[in-house]
Amino acid sequence: MNLAELLTHVQGLTAIAIGIIIGLGALGACLGIAIMGSKFLESAARQPELVPLLQGRMFLLAGLIDAAFIIGLAVALLFAFSNPLTAVIQAAAGH
């Protein structure tokens, strides 16, 4: 397998990995926020006097859930625009 074929293969697999990272991260974040929101509404209906306390904690958790997705997005963008795997292949081919 020559260098061009190897680089093309790595870039193709990287594109699939990027799609999986972003897709599963978005799915997980959506499910997490949906479950958290439903539990917040249940608890607000049961004890309305605790809504201010629970609302602050809900927004904190929403930020943490979104932060995990954004970290995954940043890793996917790293692989999309400056793929370290192609640099390793090019360095190995140069020796």
Side-chain angles (χ1 to χ4, degrees):
M1 189 179 278
N2 64 10
L3 179 63
E5 290 176 351
L6 192 58
L7 284 175
T8 304
H9 188 68
V10 167
Q11 288 175 343
L13 291 176
T14 301
I16 293 170
I18 289 169
I20 291 171
I21 290 170
I22 293 174
L24 290 180
L27 180 67
C30 289
L31 288 174
I33 288 181
I35 292 170
M36 180 194 58
S38 71
K39 296 298 182 181
F40 169 73
L41 290 176
E42 284 179 18
S43 61
R46 288 177 190 257
Q47 295 181 334
E49 67 274 3
L50 290 179
V51 169
L53 176 71
L54 295 173
Q55 187 175 13
R57 291 182 180 171
M58 183 194 71
F59 286 130
L60 176 69
L61 285 174
L64 292 174
I65 291 169
D66 282 340
F69 168 67
I70 291 173
I71 290 170
L73 180 66
V75 170
L77 288 174
L78 169 75
F79 282 120
F81 292 110
S82 65
N83 193 343
L85 302 173
T86 58
V88 171
I89 291 172
Q90 290 172 346
H95 287 197

